[in-house]
Amino acid sequence: MVAGIKGMFLANKKLNNEVKTYITYNKGRDWRLLQAPSADLRGNRIHCMLPYCSLHLHLHVSANPYTSGNIASRELAPGIIVASGSIGAELTSSNVSMFITSDAGNTWRQIFDEEYSVLYLDQGGALVAIRHTPLPIRHLRLSFDEGRVWNKYSFTSSPLFVDGVLGEPGEETLIMTIFGHVSHRSEWQLVKIDFRSIFNRRCIESDYVPWDLHDQGERCLMGVKRVYRKLKPIARCVMGKTYSVTTISEPCDCTESDFECDYGFERRADGKCTPAFWFLPSSMSRTCTTEHTFLNSTGYRKVVSNNCTGGVMEQYTARRQLCPSQAPRGLHLVTSEGKLTATLASNVTFLVFLEEGDGSKTSITVDFGDGNAFTYSNVSSIEDGIKHIYKNVGIYRVSATAENSLGSETVLLFLHITCQLESIHLSAPFVAVKNKEVNLTVVLSPSQVGTVTYIWWFGNNSEPVITLEGSVAFTFSREGISVVTVQVSAGNNILQDRKTIAVHEYFRSHLLAFSSNLDDHNPDVAEWRLDVSRVIKNSMVQATGVNSDQLLVTVLPGLPTVAEFFLLPDKQYYITDDGGYLHFLSELVLSALNQNLVQFTLRPGVQVTVYAAHLSAAPLVDTSENHSGSAMLMLLSVVVVGLAVFLIYKFKRKIPGLHIYAAMQDEKEQEMIQSPVSLTDSTPSFSSQRELLTTLEPLDTEPNSQTIGEYHAVLYRPSVPTSDTSPF
C-alpha cells in the first residue's frame, strides 16, 4: 500500500514462473505494469517496451518504522516512492538498482546502480541515502529535489562498517543515527547526524507548487480529483512541524471504471461482468427469508471508498425489489459451532436458515429428537439461533421443517450427545481354558458416554479387532501367558486397559472370603489388590506346601473383599490324569482354609484370616475334560454294585462257597483292627496320597487274576509310574 494516496497499491504477481510488478489506483479494480525509466543513471537511453519489458520492484517493507526496507513511502510525502528493483521481462535479484518516482508511479528515475538505504527527512523535503555494502564507508548522500541531484557528505573521519540507519521519531525530523563498528572486533559505534545546519531558513508559501494526482493523465481517481501541495525542487528550506499536506478534492461523475464485479460475477475479456459458472443469481434474494424486499444485483458494485457521484451510478447500482412469493427451498440446519457432537447438559444452539422463500410467511418447526418440538411463525424470529439442552446421552434425530402456502421442505441433522469418558475396566478371567471360548467385557465409567468404539489386541496379533460392542468372545489356542489390550474411543478421548490371562488345558478354582477387618483397610484400588493377592498366595503356599507355580490368587474389585484362587497343572512332569491330582490339591487347600490355617498380617495389629467362600452348594470349578467321563463311569459302577448286592442278598443261600469269602473277609477285618495305628500314621504320606490318586485312574491294562478257592480276586495295576522320580 502506498502511503498518502488512497486506493493506490503495488503488487508482485507470479505468472508462468515470472514475477512482475503491477500498480493500481482504484484499489485493485484495474492493474497495469510499471513503465521503465527512459534513461539510465548515466543518461543512456533504455529500450524497454510494454508489455514485454517493464520496471519490477522488490516489495519487502521494513518491519521497523525507523529503518528503510526495499521500498518506502510516507504519509506526509505523497507521490514519492523509493524502491530497489530491476528492468526487464521479470523481477531478478541480480543487477539491482534504486529507483524513485515523485509523481505517484507514473514515471520512474534511476538514482543508484546498487542498493541503498533511503530515509525521509523533513517530511520528504530531503532524502538521505547510505550504500548497502559489506565494506566500511564514511560517506552518505543527500538530496533536496526528490532524488534528482545527490550531494555527497562525510559523516565520520574513519571508515565504519554500517549495521543500520535509524531515523529519529517523526517524519519532520532532521536528525538521524548511524550505528556500526570500526572493525569486526570492536564494539558498536553510534554516529548521530544533525542536518539542521544545512538549511538556512523556513519554507514560505511561495516555496510550494500544486501537484495533481493522476493515472497517466486520468485525474479522476477513486471518484475524486485530488490536488496536493508539494515543495519546489529548487527550494532549500525547512518545512518543519507546521507543514500540512493541503488536499483539494473535487468529486467526479461515476463511470464504469468506478465499479467492480459484484460477488458471484467475473469480468470477461470485453470488460463486462457476468455470473460465474458456480453462481446462481436468484440466490441474491436470500434476504427475502427475513425481509420483504431484496437488492437485485446488476453484476456490479462501486469500489470500496470510491466517492464518485451521479453519472452511471443508477445504471450499475443494485435495485431494491419486492420479494417474490415462492415455496421454501434450500433449508439448512446446523449447530452454531458447526459440529455434530455436543456435551451432555450443555446449551446446544441450532441455526436454521433458508436460501430461498418468503421468510415472513414461512413457519419453522424444529423437532429436537428427544420428545420436544417447537414451531416459530417466521424465520426472522430465530435469527439468533434456537437453544436446547439434552438430558441424556445418545444420538438424536433433529429435524427442521419450513412450510408456507406454496410448499414445505424438511432437513435432518443427527446429533451425538456425549459425556466425558473418565475410566474403563477390562473384565476378564485370570485363567482361561485352551480352545474354549471366554467372554471379555469392558466396563465404562460413566456407563453411558455416547457412541463408543472398542479396539482389541489379543496376544501377539498385530491386527486389531474393532467392535461397537463392549463385549467380545475369544478362544485362546495356545497355552501360556496371553495379554489382552483394549482401547476405548469416545469422541476425542481414548482410554486403554490391559489384562494378562494364563491359558491352560484345565484348572480348578474357588472363591476366598476374609475376616471382616480386611474390609476396613480395602481402598479398592488395583495396586492394593495386587499387593494383597501376593501376600495371600504366600500364606497359602506356606500353609499347604503347594508349589507356588501352580497357585494363582487374585483379589476381585469391590467390597466386601473377595478373592479367587486357581490351581494350575504342573507341566514339568508327565501325569496321565492331572485333573485328579488337581482335585487332591484343591481338597488339601480347602482343608487348610477350613481349619483357619491360612492367615497373614496386613499391618501391625491387623491379623486377617482367609476362608473358603461357601456361596452355594456347587462344587469347585473343574475344567478337566476327563471328569465328565469318569463321573459317568463311577455312576454306572455304583448302579452295578448296588444291583449285585441286591442279588447276592436275595440268593445268598443258593451260592456255594460264599461263606468262605465272608470268612476270609472277616479275617482281613480282624487283622486291620488288630494293627496298632497312631494318629501320625493315620495321615497319608505324600506317596500314599499318590497311590490314592492313582486308584482313581481308569483302567488301561488287563487285570491280573489270582485264584482263591472257586472265586477270583481282581488286582488292579496303577497306571501312574511309581518310580522315585515322581514328584508325588
Side-chain angles (χ1 to χ4, degrees):
M1 183 176 64
V2 178
I5 301 179
K6 183 172 65 173
M8 182 177 177
F9 292 85
L10 289 163
N12 281 342
K13 179 181 180 181
K14 186 176 183 179
L15 183 63
N16 297 328
N17 290 325
E18 291 183 346
V19 177
K20 299 185 178 184
T21 302
Y22 291 81
I23 190 170
T24 179
Y25 294 88
N26 54 8
K27 220 166 188 177
R29 195 273 194 193
D30 299 296
W31 295 88
R32 64 173 176 84
L33 294 168
L34 299 180
Q35 179 64 59
S38 58
D40 61 12
L41 186 61
R42 299 168 184 80
N44 299 321
R45 183 174 177 79
I46 298 177
H47 299 279
C48 185
M49 183 178 297
L50 292 174
Y52 311 104
C53 175
S54 60
L55 173 64
H56 309 285
L57 305 178
H58 293 280
L59 303 181
H60 299 287
V61 181
S62 173
N64 189 336
Y66 306 125
T67 59
S68 174
N70 295 108
I71 184 170
S73 62
R74 293 292 181 267
E75 185 77 25
L76 295 179
I80 301 178
I81 308 172
V82 181
S84 62
S86 60
I87 299 174
E90 61 177 326
L91 179 65
T92 63
S93 298
S94 59
N95 300 323
V96 176
S97 301
M98 296 298 299
F99 300 90
I100 189 171
T101 177
S102 55
D103 58 1
N106 284 280
T107 60
W108 294 82
R109 304 184 306 273
Q110 183 180 7
I111 54 177
F112 301 111
D113 55 6
E114 53 187 339
E115 288 194 81
Y116 275 71
S117 293
V118 179
L119 271 72
Y120 289 70
L121 298 179
D122 191 29
Q123 303 180 98
L127 300 175
V128 179
I130 296 181
R131 184 161 59 100
H132 281 178
T133 176
L135 302 176
I137 58 175
R138 53 191 297 267
H139 296 97
L140 56 78
R141 298 181 183 274
L142 183 64
S143 175
F144 301 97
D145 56 0
E146 299 176 344
R148 291 177 176 84
V149 178
W150 293 87
N151 299 314
K152 188 176 181 181
Y153 293 88
S154 175
F155 65 89
T156 178
S157 58
S158 57
L160 185 71
F161 291 94
V162 176
D163 296 316
V165 181
L166 182 65
E168 293 292 326
E171 296 179 3
E172 73 282 351
T173 182
L174 288 170
I175 300 175
M176 63 177 293
T177 302
I178 301 174
F179 55 95
H181 51 277
V182 177
S183 66
H184 293 292
R185 297 182 180 180
S186 66
E187 297 180 350
W188 269 9
Q189 302 289 324
L190 297 180
V191 179
K192 180 174 288 189
I193 306 173
D194 190 344
F195 293 95
R196 286 178 293 184
S197 61
I198 299 178
F199 301 94
N200 51 16
R201 64 182 180 87
R202 300 190 69 85
C203 296
I204 59 177
E205 189 64 30
S206 59
D207 293 321
Y208 298 97
V209 294
W211 171 68
D212 295 331
L213 176 64
H214 65 93
D215 175 16
Q216 295 182 333
E218 176 57 53
R219 293 186 56 200
C220 284
L221 301 177
M222 296 296 290
V224 294
K225 298 177 181 178
R226 290 186 176 88
V227 181
Y228 295 89
R229 188 177 68 157
K230 297 181 64 175
L231 192 65
K232 293 179 180 179
I234 60 174
R236 182 176 295 190
C237 58
V238 179
M239 290 187 287
K241 296 182 180 180
T242 59
Y243 169 75
S244 62
V245 180
T246 303
T247 305
I248 302 174
S249 299
E250 179 184 346
C252 299
D253 290 337
C254 292
T255 63
E256 191 271 341
S257 62
D258 295 312
F259 293 84
E260 62 184 353
C261 291
D262 201 356
Y263 172 80
F265 293 80
E266 56 188 9
R267 194 175 301 277
R268 296 186 309 190
D270 59 0
K272 302 294 184 181
C273 293
T274 57
F277 71 92
W278 51 266
F279 182 68
L280 186 64
S282 61
S283 64
M284 296 299 294
S285 62
R286 184 176 299 175
T287 55
C288 288
T289 59
T290 57
E291 300 178 10
H292 297 285
T293 61
F294 73 102
L295 287 175
N296 189 13
S297 176
T298 61
Y300 298 86
R301 64 184 178 191
K302 193 163 69 170
V303 175
V304 178
S305 301
N306 189 293
N307 297 320
C308 71
T309 58
V312 297
M313 172 77 77
E314 184 177 352
Q315 176 184 349
Y316 286 93
T317 303
R319 301 172 182 86
R320 184 163 294 279
Q321 297 180 357
L322 290 175
C323 291
S325 297
Q326 56 182 357
R329 190 170 64 177
L331 181 64
H332 293 268
L333 173 64
V334 296
T335 61
S336 59
E337 296 182 353
K339 298 180 180 179
L340 297 177
T341 61
T343 306
L344 182 68
S346 65
N347 244 327
V348 183
T349 301
F350 294 96
L351 301 179
V352 182
F353 58 89
L354 276 171
E355 289 186 1
E356 298 180 27
D358 188 354
S360 62
K361 300 178 182 179
T362 301
S363 64
I364 301 293
T365 301
V366 179
D367 187 340
F368 299 103
D370 60 351
N372 296 309
F374 297 94
T375 300
Y376 303 88
S377 59
N378 52 60
V379 177
S380 60
S381 61
I382 56 174
E383 285 183 349
D384 297 331
I386 307 169
K387 298 183 183 298
H388 188 68
I389 296 177
Y390 289 90
K391 299 181 180 179
N392 296 304
V393 171
I395 303 176
Y396 293 89
R397 181 182 182 271
V398 186
S399 65
T401 301
E403 184 176 7
N404 60 22
S405 59
L406 298 177
S408 64
E409 187 173 41
T410 300
V411 65
L412 297 178
L413 182 149
F414 295 93
L415 184 66
H416 296 244
I417 301 298
T418 63
C419 66
Q420 183 70 23
L421 179 61
E422 298 177 358
S423 63
I424 67 171
H425 170 72
L426 175 58
S427 177
F430 298 94
V431 183
V433 179
K434 175 184 174 182
N435 294 327
K436 280 193 175 181
E437 193 174 76
V438 296
N439 290 323
L440 306 172
T441 303
V442 180
V443 181
L444 308 182
S445 178
S447 59
Q448 297 295 329
V449 295
T451 306
V452 177
T453 303
Y454 301 86
I455 308 169
W456 306 81
W457 282 271
F458 300 97
N460 296 325
N461 293 342
S462 59
E463 293 295 329
V465 177
I466 301 176
T467 66
L468 297 178
E469 298 293 335
S471 180
V472 297
F474 188 77
T475 301
F476 295 94
S477 59
R478 294 183 180 180
E479 290 191 66
I481 301 298
S482 292
V483 178
V484 178
T485 303
V486 62
Q487 290 182 341
V488 179
S489 174
N492 295 327
N493 194 20
I494 298 180
L495 298 182
Q496 175 178 297
D497 195 11
R498 178 183 286 115
K499 286 292 185 293
T500 300
I501 301 176
V503 181
H504 295 277
E505 290 188 358
Y506 46 83
F507 65 89
R508 293 180 70 88
S509 67
H510 199 283
L511 294 178
L512 299 175
F514 305 90
S515 52
S516 59
N517 58 346
L518 181 60
D519 292 342
D520 299 333
H521 304 277
N522 185 353
D524 196 21
V525 295
E527 292 78 5
W528 183 88
R529 292 193 294 268
L530 184 63
D531 293 338
V532 172
S533 299
R534 185 168 53 251
V535 173
I536 297 171
K537 175 181 177 179
N538 293 336
S539 301
M540 295 178 67
V541 170
Q542 293 177 3
T544 62
V546 176
N547 187 350
S548 62
D549 293 336
Q550 293 184 257
L551 182 63
L552 176 64
V553 179
T554 180
V555 177
L556 305 178
L559 289 172
T561 308
V562 178
E564 187 174 9
F565 77 84
F566 301 86
L567 289 172
L568 310 177
D570 188 352
K571 294 300 181 182
Q572 184 176 359
Y573 301 97
Y574 174 79
I575 300 176
T576 302
D577 187 8
D578 270 54
Y581 178 57
L582 289 184
H583 174 74
F584 162 72
L585 289 183
S586 65
E587 295 297 331
L588 180 65
V589 173
L590 290 177
S591 176
L593 293 171
N594 292 331
Q595 298 178 45
N596 297 337
L597 298 180
V598 181
Q599 298 181 349
F600 65 90
T601 302
L602 184 66
R603 62 179 59 181
V606 180
Q607 189 76 12
V608 179
T609 303
V610 185
Y611 308 99
H614 300 286
L615 301 181
S616 66
L620 281 167
V621 175
D622 188 352
T623 62
S624 173
E625 297 181 358
N626 296 332
H627 283 274
S628 59
S630 301
M632 293 299 296
L633 180 62
M634 291 176 64
L635 181 61
L636 182 61
S637 301
V638 169
V639 172
V640 173
V641 171
L643 182 61
V645 170
F646 173 77
L647 293 175
I648 292 173
Y649 175 77
K650 190 73 175 176
F651 304 103
K652 62 182 179 178
R653 290 187 176 90
K654 300 179 181 181
I655 302 177
L658 180 62
H659 297 287
I660 300 175
Y661 177 77
M664 292 179 63
Q665 289 293 102
D666 290 340
E667 291 179 0
K668 187 174 181 180
E669 291 177 359
Q670 291 177 2
E671 291 176 359
M672 292 176 66
I673 294 173
Q674 294 174 358
S675 300
V677 180
S678 64
L679 180 62
T680 304
D681 294 335
S682 65
T683 302
S685 64
F686 200 78
S687 61
S688 64
Q689 293 170 3
R690 182 203 60 195
E691 294 171 2
L692 176 62
L693 170 64
T694 58
T695 60
L696 299 177
E697 294 286 343
L699 293 178
D700 57 358
T701 57
E702 291 294 329
N704 293 332
S705 299
Q706 197 173 18
T707 303
I708 305 178
E710 296 180 13
Y711 306 96
H712 296 81
V714 180
L715 177 63
Y716 297 100
R717 181 184 298 120
S719 63
V720 177
T722 57
S723 65
D724 294 337
T725 60
S726 172
F728 311 115

